[in-house]
Amino acid sequence: MKRFLLSLGLFLTCGALWSQDVLVVVFATSDDGFLNVRAQPSSKAQILTTLPMAFHGLGRGILLEQGDRWSKVKVDGIVGWVYTKYMGGQSWYFANGKPKLIAKYKYTPLYTDNYADDGSKYVPFGTVEEGTILADDYELLDDGYYVLKTGHDYLFINKDDVIVE
């Protein structure tokens, strides 16, 4: 929990650092449990989808661009704008000098746990662009995936889809 709060504090105070170059998974912090994702950075713009609160400690969106009032996000493949005041974030990059994972491809896939129990271990979560710093807090699993741990849910990245630098 302390690491999560530290990440959130860094996310909020160092907006320039958390850009498209660093993976930040986002979630709603509003009282009603969701945040509208809009077509434009305006409260009058069309609602495209919603960004829910963190589920078991993992958000459902990816931060593309942070602004003071409005931030650009991708939720389930839909790109839009959310009101920054009601958005929280999680990152696994702490700039602590450890080797970091960097996305290798134009659309590097991220995965999460598959709770449907339909035979596949992971399900798609989203994609990040080539060169995005994913983490310096991770673990390599025996199945060839790196895991980024958060609460109950995890993110996974195929070891062949990243550069370790």
Side-chain angles (χ1 to χ4, degrees), residues 18-69:
W18 304 118
S19 66
Q20 192 168 345
D21 297 333
V22 174
L23 171 65
V24 177
V25 173
V26 293
F27 49 86
T29 61
S30 58
D31 291 338
D32 58 6
F34 71 93
L35 187 53
N36 290 327
V37 178
R38 297 183 178 273
Q40 300 294 323
S42 166
S43 60
K44 298 186 188 296
Q46 174 189 2
I47 298 171
L48 303 173
T49 188
T50 58
L51 175 65
M53 292 185 84
F55 178 72
H56 293 293
L58 183 64
R60 292 297 310 152
I62 297 173
L63 180 65
L64 300 177
E65 179 182 317
Q66 183 181 351
D68 291 334
R69 294 196 65 219

Side-chain angles (χ1 to χ4, degrees), residues 98-106 108 129-136 138 146 157-165:
K98 294 181 182 176
K100 57 188 171 227
L101 301 179
I102 300 172
K104 193 175 189 178
Y105 302 110
K106 183 175 182 180
T108 300
E129 292 186 13
E130 176 182 4
T132 301
I133 297 170
L134 302 171
D136 59 6
Y138 56 86
Y146 288 104
I157 300 110
N158 187 310
K159 73 176 184 175
D160 295 330
D161 293 343
V162 298
I163 299 166
V164 179
E165 186 177 282

